[in-house]
Amino acid sequence: MKALLVLSLISLAAPAAAQVKMLGNTPDVQDPLAPPPLPDPIAESAPLRLSLMQTSQAQEGDEKYQPEVGQAGKDVIWVPTPDSLVKAMLTVAEVKPTDYVVDLGSGDGKIAIAAARDFGARSLGVEYNPDMVALARRNAQRAGVSGKASFINGDIFETDFTDASVVTMYLLPSLNLKLRDTLLKMKPGTRILSHAFTMGEWEPERTISTDDATGYFWIVPAQVAGRWAFEVGNERFAAEIGQQFQKLSVARGGPLKDGHVKGSTIHLVRANGQELVGELRGNQIVGSGWVATRIRSAG
Ligand SMILES: C[S@@+](CC[C@H](N)C(=O)[O-])C[C@H]1O[C@@H](n2cnc3c(N)ncnc32)[C@H](O)[C@@H]1O
């Protein structure tokens, strides 16, 4: 099973390879109408250095380290997420300048860099391979966002990222599951994005498909399981609410029929069909014309 998943990561390597090449900034296609390049004396003695310098994008260190798609990583190999999916995922999460985006296993830094460059967010990449961290920092400098996108050399399972408002990852199903409890304890409304892999029974709010890849989007739900006292207009009733991730369950024949949670917004449907939409504020859910007060939490 694991071999299959690793293969699926590797199968994405082909389009990604082109992106890695772009990071070296050597143009893939020559313009047939362009004049032949002038001979340059440095070219003979230092071809690699010249190819980087030609772009005026070279950073010191580029010549020492070139990553290879599929190279080993601590818990998962490195394969970059295609640009189109990076953009689509950050767009679906509605990343904005007030966000703090953390990419877990940040590789060459492309997700954190895109969040800063294209969406104005502050961002952090956590990456175990120090050479990749150095590369990501050079890439951030090239993109002009080194003040906004930072990178740390660390293990995602030993790094506190719980102050993030958006978390992104391209790991493995088993690693997503290992992170799930931590993610679910984050602030309600935190947005989670994963390239390729799901979170077990925690169903995504959305599946994001591009031509060459798929991503998933979740919103951390507030915890509302327990017993609540409702005041809806002049009516008073109590209800027991169960919860599995974003889905709320209520006993049949009771005052509530259905419900779900999106961040700290609670949607409930009464047995009479009336919809109740409110915000969780401390121990109350406050809606327009109704309020529910927590009698006790579940478990
Ligand atoms: C599949 S790549 C994804 C890279 C990047 N997030 C992207 O989507 O383009 C996974 C990355 O996680 C890194 N990694 C693996 N295990 C890690 C760990 N325990 N802590 C931090 N980084 C890790 C690998 O070195 C690799 O760069």
Side-chain angles (χ1 to χ4, degrees):
M1 177 70 174
K2 189 159 180 181
L4 204 69
L5 297 168
V6 170
L7 268 178
S8 106
L9 277 169
I10 291 178
S11 73
L12 294 165
Q19 292 160 12
V20 173
K21 202 166 177 194
M22 276 169 64
L23 288 171
N25 290 302
T26 308
D28 286 337
V29 183
Q30 295 296 330
D31 179 355
L33 299 176
L38 292 172
D40 188 315
I42 308 172
E44 259 69 80
S45 55
L48 172 63
R49 190 148 168 255
L50 179 68
S51 74
L52 291 164
M53 285 170 67
Q54 276 172 335
T55 67
S56 76
Q57 290 271 295
Q59 299 285 331
E60 203 179 324
D62 280 339
E63 71 288 358
K64 287 191 210 134
Y65 183 71
Q66 297 284 324
E68 274 180 31
V69 171
Q71 72 189 20
K74 180 176 175 282
D75 293 308
V76 60
I77 61 172
W78 173 61
V79 178
T81 296
D83 289 349
S84 55
L85 186 64
V86 172
K87 188 175 173 196
M89 292 201 304
L90 298 175
T91 301
V92 165
E94 296 180 19
V95 172
K96 50 193 175 308
T98 49
D99 276 314
Y100 179 41
V101 179
V102 175
D103 185 32
L104 299 176
S106 48
D108 64 6
K110 64 187 303 180
I111 295 182
I113 290 169
R117 183 193 57 214
D118 305 335
F119 296 82
R122 203 159 55 86
S123 61
L124 175 75
V126 183
E127 169 59 51
Y128 196 78
N129 178 335
D131 289 326
M132 292 302 272
V133 173
L135 172 65
R137 287 180 183 147
R138 294 197 296 276
N139 288 340
Q141 201 160 1
R142 263 186 275 269
V145 292
S146 38
K148 277 191 157 178
S150 6
F151 297 90
I152 54 165
N153 186 200
D155 188 325
I156 55 171
F157 296 106
E158 284 165 21
T159 303
D160 182 1
F161 55 86
T162 52
D163 52 347
S165 56
V166 179
V167 179
T168 60
M169 68 199 74
Y170 181 19
L171 299 167
L172 286 172
S174 57
L175 303 182
N176 284 11
L177 286 184
K178 210 169 150 187
L179 289 166
R180 195 173 76 182
D181 275 353
T182 306
L183 296 169
L184 282 163
K185 283 185 193 129
M186 288 178 76
K187 193 174 167 218
T190 303
R191 291 97 85 205
I192 314 290
L193 297 150
S194 166
H195 174 184
F197 303 117
T198 57
M199 294 272 176
E201 320 86 83
W202 184 11
E203 288 177 12
E205 294 286 330
R206 275 188 67 176
T207 297
I208 306 157
S209 299
T210 59
D211 285 349
D212 47 2
T214 300
Y216 300 96
F217 173 63
W218 297 261
I219 299 172
V220 173
Q223 296 301 319
V224 294
R227 190 159 182 81
W228 294 81
F230 286 80
E231 297 169 39
V232 184
N234 296 325
E235 294 177 77
R236 305 278 179 274
F237 58 89
E240 186 78 31
I241 298 179
Q243 180 169 5
Q244 204 195 15
F245 307 107
Q246 68 271 57
K247 290 184 189 159
L248 300 181
S249 55
V250 282
R252 258 199 206 169
L256 298 174
K257 200 158 70 172
D258 197 7
H260 69 272
V261 186
K262 208 167 192 179
S264 55
T265 306
I266 321 297
H267 297 248
L268 293 162
V269 183
R270 291 182 69 186
N272 65 8
Q274 183 186 7
E275 280 195 39
L276 301 175
V277 181
E279 285 294 309
L280 183 70
R281 293 192 201 139
N283 273 330
Q284 288 201 313
I285 306 170
V286 181
S288 161
W290 71 278
V291 66
T293 305
R294 202 192 294 260
I295 301 171
R296 62 163 175 71
S297 299

